[in-house]
Amino acid sequence: MENSQATMAFSVLKTLLTSLFFYADKPLILFADKCKYLQFIRCILVSAFLFFLRLLPSLLPSPSFESYKFCLNSKRGEALCTVADGGGGEPGIARALTQVLSIVTDIPVSSRKYEVVRSLAERLIDDNLLDGNEALREVNCTALVAAFCRTLKRLESAVVDHGGSRQLDAVTATPDGGGGGVIEDYYRGLCRVVRAAKFYGDVVRRRLSARDELSRSEVSAEKLAAELLWLAQKMTACGCAEEALRRWSSAQHLAWLSLSADPRLQGALVKVSAFLLDQARELWKEADEENMKYELRETNMNMLVSWLPLLCRASNGTDTPVLSINKRAELERTLELMINTLDEEEQEKVLSLWLQHFTYCPSSDWPNLHDSYTRWCTASRSSLLLLN
């Protein structure tokens, strides 16, 4: 009850402050277009206000939001958050596996103990599977889902903290790059201010979190990406690949940051996406219920919108292709299958996104979804003819 009241209070406070600010901002809008100095002042005010909103959750006491653990509901395949009870309700093997996976994420690859801890985690997971017991499989899934989420969060923090000026350029870049009138230019500039404020708000919020500070300087983003692939493979072996796919498809912020990341990190992220796209194809083939296909269709849409731009831009690698020729061809077929599962409007969004990034990336000609684009155009043309 206290948690819900605190959440509601924060939501009301945020809504009230936002409404008051934008109400007070209306007079400035009338004069900002006529005076460059007022435009500058207004941009500073908007940036400062949005920064304050991003910082507000960190300033408020919220111990109830920090004591959570993951448990897996095997009937629905969903990761649920429940308040931790101090570990007394968990079996010892579950606590052991959770601890080992946490250490694997924290310890740098350069440490001579890394392979020891990694091998221990492998052994615990494999032994639980070999017993063929459903409770032990659930132990694996619960610990792996929590580790995947934690590593994903650490990876995003590492990309934000160590991305440098190239990410700031990406934050403030204008997507269309075209010209326009004074109002269009103004709002485009305001959008850049909003994105920059959000970027810096995320940085400050993460640095205020003591948990995210743990060993961050010693763990590279590339290492975390490689461990995400390993965790996804283990989750697939334990029968909870759908949860990994759902988490990865919803990581839009990380996908956006990856477009300006180091090429080696981009290659590692492409490998994670390629593996999970394969799992999405297999899950779709195995789905036999309409509600299950509906959930998978939504996940497929999020996956394509989030990670298709990176596939278009980062498939070549620094010296060799990230994926083999056969793997690229197979993945193209997978992408076409996933696009075919979407409705006509969703296909338009995905294919429009693909065409934009595919066209403006001179260093890569993959994935080539020309056939899917042509089929969508034909279907759209037929739909129009049926209406007339």
Side-chain angles (χ1 to χ4, degrees):
M1 180 67 69
E2 293 180 358
N3 292 348
S4 61
Q5 290 177 350
T7 303
M8 183 178 297
F10 172 73
S11 178
V12 170
L13 177 61
K14 184 177 179 180
T15 303
L16 179 61
L17 290 175
T18 304
S19 301
L20 290 174
F21 178 82
F22 283 105
Y23 179 79
D25 181 58
K26 286 183 178 180
L28 280 178
I29 297 178
L30 300 175
F31 302 100
D33 292 335
K34 301 178 181 181
C35 179
K36 185 179 297 184
Y37 295 106
L38 283 178
Q39 289 182 11
F40 179 73
I41 293 174
R42 184 173 180 271
C43 285
I44 292 178
L45 291 175
V46 171
S47 178
F49 178 73
L50 293 175
F51 175 80
F52 171 74
L53 286 184
R54 300 292 296 181
L55 191 61
L56 187 59
S58 301
L59 300 178
L60 295 177
S62 56
S64 58
F65 297 114
E66 298 176 354
S67 57
Y68 283 84
K69 64 178 181 179
F70 283 95
C71 62
L72 194 72
N73 185 330
S74 59
K75 294 182 179 179
R76 297 186 299 167
E78 297 177 355
L80 305 176
C81 287
T82 57
V83 179
D85 55 3
E90 290 183 342
I93 186 63
R95 293 194 296 272
L97 182 56
T98 300
Q99 181 186 22
V100 171
L101 289 174
S102 176
I103 294 175
V104 169
T105 304
D106 290 338
I107 193 171
V109 180
S110 58
S111 172
R112 61 187 180 87
K113 301 293 182 66
Y114 176 78
E115 287 299 330
V116 176
V117 180
R118 173 81 172 256
S119 298
L120 178 59
E122 294 261 9
R123 189 189 316 160
L124 289 174
I125 295 171
D126 293 343
D127 288 348
N128 286 346
L129 283 180
L130 286 175
D131 283 344
N133 184 279
E134 180 64 20
L136 289 175
R137 190 192 70 84
E138 286 292 328
V139 166
N140 279 356
C141 289
T142 302
L144 287 168
V145 169
F148 190 90
C149 295
R150 182 175 184 271
T151 306
L152 187 60
K153 183 178 180 182
R154 290 283 304 276
L155 174 59
E156 183 175 325
S157 298
V159 174
V160 169
D161 288 346
H162 304 295
S165 59
R166 289 194 304 168
Q167 284 185 13
L168 180 57
D169 293 339
V171 167
T172 57
T174 303
D176 52 19
V182 175
I183 296 179
E184 288 81 358
D185 291 340
Y186 168 71
Y187 281 110
R188 193 177 297 119
L190 183 59
C191 288
R192 291 197 295 269
V193 172
V194 171
R195 288 195 294 270
K198 181 178 182 296
F199 175 84
Y200 284 116
D202 284 338
V203 172
V204 173
R205 177 171 53 84
R206 287 183 178 87
R207 287 180 177 175
L208 288 175
S209 173
R211 181 175 55 188
D212 286 344
E213 288 292 339
L214 180 62
S215 302
R216 181 183 298 168
S217 60
E218 300 178 359
V219 178
S220 70
E222 188 179 351
K223 179 254 188 186
L224 294 172
E227 282 174 3
L228 276 176
L229 177 59
W230 173 68
L231 289 169
Q233 292 169 343
K234 291 300 178 183
M235 293 172 72
T236 300
C238 296
C240 50
E242 184 177 354
E243 190 60 36
L245 179 61
R246 185 182 295 115
R247 299 286 174 173
W248 188 250
S249 66
S250 62
Q252 292 95 345
H253 191 207
L254 174 62
W256 171 64
L257 291 172
S258 69
L259 297 179
S260 57
D262 180 81
R264 293 179 62 88
L265 174 58
Q266 288 183 334
L269 296 175
V270 167
K271 291 178 180 178
V272 178
S273 298
F275 176 79
L276 289 175
L277 284 168
D278 286 340
Q279 303 313 308
R281 178 191 60 201
E282 296 302 320
L283 288 171
W284 182 264
K285 290 180 180 179
E286 297 171 1
D288 53 359
E289 298 180 7
E290 191 59 33
N291 60 341
M292 185 180 299
K293 286 193 172 182
Y294 176 82
E295 293 178 1
L296 288 175
R297 188 180 296 112
E298 183 179 1
T299 302
N300 289 347
M301 178 65 179
N302 292 336
M303 185 76 171
L304 292 168
V305 171
S306 297
W307 295 103
L308 191 55
L310 179 65
L311 296 182
C312 292
R313 292 172 176 265
S315 60
N316 279 340
T318 54
D319 49 2
T320 59
V322 175
L323 304 173
S324 66
I325 295 177
N326 291 337
K327 185 60 180 178
R328 290 190 185 195
E330 179 185 353
L331 204 54
E332 277 186 353
R333 292 190 293 269
T334 297
L335 291 170
E336 291 177 350
L337 173 64
M338 293 178 67
I339 291 173
N340 289 338
T341 66
L342 307 176
D343 60 35
E344 186 174 314
E345 184 177 348
E346 290 173 334
Q347 288 186 23
E348 179 183 2
K349 293 179 181 179
V350 171
L351 290 170
S352 176
L353 182 69
W354 163 77
L355 184 62
Q356 177 184 356
H357 289 275
F358 180 80
T359 304
Y360 288 100
C361 185
S363 61
S364 174
D365 57 359
W366 181 87
N368 190 343
L369 302 178
H370 181 268
D371 291 342
S372 292
Y373 193 86
T374 302
R375 283 194 296 269
W376 172 80
C377 289
T378 301
S380 180
R381 189 181 299 110
S382 300
S383 299
L384 178 61
L385 293 176
L386 289 175
L387 297 175
N388 296 318

